[in-house]
Amino acid sequence: MAEQLEETGPVAMGSWQGVLADLASCLRFYSRLPVPALPWEQDPHALPDFPRITRLVPLAGLVLGILPAAVLAGALLLDLGPWLAAALSVAAMTVTTGAFHEDGFADTADSFGGATRERRLAIMRDSLIGSFGASGLVLVFALRIGALAELVSRVDTAGACTAVLIAAALSRTAGLTPLVLLPPARLDGASHAVGQPTRDTFWRAAALAGVIAVVLGTLSGLDPSGIGLMLILSAASGWALTRLAARHIQGQTGDIAGAAQQVAEIAALIGLLTVVER
């Protein structure tokens, strides 16, 4: 087996083994899930080849949304009410990812207090959370929980759970936007270390995210215009954070990507809400 891997390279990217290996790398990168090493992986704990695995980020997001969707369904089945069910679902996602994206949003919000590019980057690197970051986190959690709770009160359980899955896939795809369109803001950061995805790979990921949203939304009976708004607003959020980063630090960091994901998730849920009647 080892000899075969040496002959074919790290993983044959056109094979199903390559797809599974890249998906496993995505899940390890984006979450705290105990993803087991696959038999054909040479070094499962090495730094991921991010430019390559980008193509499967929407699928990884979909997988990450399964537990929060299941928690939401279980809480509603126990008749815990929309708000508590939504809060438990968001908590499940936060635990699953180790607050990966939330940390990025907080650091990005705190960096607004910096007067210069260098100071903003230094603030992003600081492990402490300031007033902007703390306030931003409160607002982000309130908006995510509030939007999901209101959605639960307007659609059936299947529709709400599907919205969680779609938002998870779309928002992580939107989080790639600054990583693709902007250069790394510093040469010693994580975004520089993992490599910059190509635009071609990004558009493939975006197409996959769109297919996931349309197929799941249609199967669950969600309003087609609502699905369209989820796509449009999540993409617009990724673009908005990209423009902000370009003006703010003249580049991108992993924190900017995390912030884009959080904003895109909120935008996607609100987009669906705008067309769903009470």
Side-chain angles (χ1 to χ4, degrees), residues 47 60 127 165 176 201 209 247:
L47 199 64
S127 60
L165 295 173
L176 295 172
T201 304
R247 186 174 70 250

Side-chain angles (χ1 to χ4, degrees), residues 169-185:
L170 291 180
S171 62
R172 279 160 186 80
T173 306
L176 295 172
T177 309
L179 301 180
V180 173
L181 299 182
L182 297 176

Side-chain angles (χ1 to χ4, degrees), residues 19 44 48 65 67 88 149 163 174 183:
V19 172
L67 178 60
L88 289 172

Side-chain angles (χ1 to χ4, degrees), residues 139-204:
L139 291 173
V140 160
F141 277 111
L143 288 169
R144 289 166 68 194
I145 293 170
L148 184 55
E150 183 61 26
L151 189 60
V152 165
S153 69
R154 298 188 188 187
V155 300
D156 58 18
T157 299
C161 291
T162 299
V164 170
L165 295 173
I166 293 174
L170 291 180
S171 62
R172 279 160 186 80
T173 306
L176 295 172
T177 309
L179 301 180
V180 173
L181 299 182
L182 297 176
R186 50 179 174 241
L187 300 181
D188 58 346
S191 64
H192 180 268
V194 299
Q196 187 171 21
T198 65
R199 296 194 179 196
D200 181 61
T201 304
F202 170 70
W203 287 119
R204 291 182 185 181

Side-chain angles (χ1 to χ4, degrees), residues 1-10 42:
M1 180 69 175
E3 292 178 356
Q4 182 181 2
L5 286 175
E6 289 178 2
E7 292 175 359
T8 58
Q42 289 181 306

